[in-house]
Amino acid sequence: MRTVAKDAASTLFKPQTLGSLQLANRIVMSPMTRSFAPGGVPGEDIAEYYRRRAGADVGLIITEGVWVDHAGASNDDNVPRFYGEDALAGWARVVKRVHEAGGKIMPQLWHVGLFSGAYDSAGETNPKPERLEREKRQVGPSGMIGGQGRAPVPTGEPMSLAEIESVIDAFASGAQAARRLGFDGIALHGAHGYLLDQFLWAATNLRADSYGGDRSQRTRFVAEMIAEIRRRTSPDFPIMLRYSQWKLQDYGAGLATTPGELDELLTPLVDAGVDIIDCSQRRFWEPVFEGSDLNLAGWTKKLTGKPTVTVGSVGLDQEMFATFAGATGAPASLDRLIGLLDRGDFDLVAVGRALLVDPDWATKVKEGRHDAALPFTPDALGRLN
C-alpha cells in the first residue's frame, strides 16, 4: 500500500488564517453523531473525546450535531443539546479542554425538521412508537419528507411564519451561547436532508410564499438565519455552513445540476454573512459537474471566493456507508488529496471515520506514519473514545 510521504503531508499542516480564525493546520474533525450524551448533556467522557483529538494535531474540531432549543429539533435524546444550564455547563468544559490542548472548536447547530431517519428496508416511513409524539411536533417547509430513493410524500402542514421565526431565533440563540462560552465560531448543519436542506431542496420546499420558489428564493430561510446570527454575535465571529447535494434519504439528489445553478444557491448565503463553507460529499475525489474535475468544495470556492472545506472518505479506502454495513476501511493514500490542496481547490480537509476510530490519526500523518493508522472495522462504533 502506497501512503503519502511525510514532506507531501506537510501541506496539511500549514497554518491557516481565515478571517479571525487562526488554525494550526488544515485538518478539521468532521461532525459525527455518536449519541453518547444521556439526556442531552455532554459529560466528562465527551470533553475527553474532543480533547484527545485536539491534542493530537487536529486544527479545528466541529462537534457532533447539537440540538437547538426548538421542540421539533431532536429525534434522539442521547444527542447533546445546546441549551439549558446543565448542557451548556458541559459544553463549557469541552471548550476549556480543547483550548488547553491547543485546538479550536465550533459546535454544529442542528435541527432535523421532518427527517426522522426511521425507515424500514422498503424505504417506507416506520417511526418507532416511542418517537411518534415527538415527531408530531416536527416541522418542515412544506410538510414533505422523502423515503429512501423515493419522491417526498406529505406528512404534515407547512411551517407557519411564526414557526420559521422561532427556529431562526433558536439558531441565533445557540450562536450567542457559543460565543459566550468561548467557542471559536459556529457551524450550521444545512446538509443531508435535514431542516435547512429541506428549504434549499426543490423536492421538499414547495412553498408558494417568499420562502419558496426558485433556487435563490429557497435560500431565504437560511440566509435570514445567517444574518440574524451575525447580528447577534459580532462582525468577526466565524460562521460555517455545511451543505450537500446528496440526502440521507436520496443519495442521487442534487441542489444544482450546473455551476450556474450552484451560484444562484450560494450567492444569497454568502451575501448574508457565511465565512466558511463545508461541502459534504461521500467521496471527496468525485467531480460534481461534467466537464470539470473540481469537486463540490472546489466549485464552491471558485464561485464564491470563500474558504471551503472538503470531506468524504478521507484517509480510508471504503466510503462511509460501506463501512457502516460491515466492510473494513483500511488506511488509504492521501496523494490525490494533497494534489488538490496544492492546486488550491479548497482550504481545509474534514476527516471523519479515520479520526473517529483513531484519535492520533493526524499525528501519524504528520510524522509520515499514515500506514500505521487504525482501520475502521465493523466493531469500531462499539469502542469509540
Side-chain angles (χ1 to χ4, degrees), residues 125-136:
T125 56
N126 185 30
K128 297 178 182 179
E130 64 270 22
R131 295 162 77 175
L132 286 174
E133 289 304 313
R134 180 161 53 249
E135 290 182 346
K136 286 179 181 177

Side-chain angles (χ1 to χ4, degrees), residues 321-328 377-378:
F321 295 103
T323 56
F324 287 162
T328 294
T377 59

Side-chain angles (χ1 to χ4, degrees), residues 30 147 175 180 245 251 285 377:
S30 192
R180 185 173 66 250
Q245 293 270 56
Y251 299 157
W285 57 86
T377 59

Side-chain angles (χ1 to χ4, degrees), residues 90-157:
W91 284 117
R93 177 170 55 234
V94 171
V95 172
K96 183 174 184 291
R97 296 286 181 81
V98 167
H99 285 169
E100 287 175 346
K104 301 291 178 70
I105 185 169
M106 298 180 182
Q108 186 192 59
L109 306 184
W110 189 18
H111 191 306
V112 296
L114 286 170
F115 184 85
S116 70
Y119 298 100
D120 63 19
S121 59
E124 301 291 341
T125 56
N126 185 30
K128 297 178 182 179
E130 64 270 22
R131 295 162 77 175
L132 286 174
E133 289 304 313
R134 180 161 53 249
E135 290 182 346
K136 286 179 181 177
R137 298 196 300 272
Q138 288 185 323
V139 296
S142 305
M144 306 286 290
I145 187 171
Q148 293 174 351
R150 293 162 16 103
V153 296
T155 61
E157 296 297 318

Side-chain angles (χ1 to χ4, degrees), residues 4-13 334-335 338 342:
V4 66
K6 183 176 179 179
D7 57 348
S10 66
T11 298
L12 283 167
F13 294 91
L334 298 176
D335 290 352
I338 298 300
D342 284 339

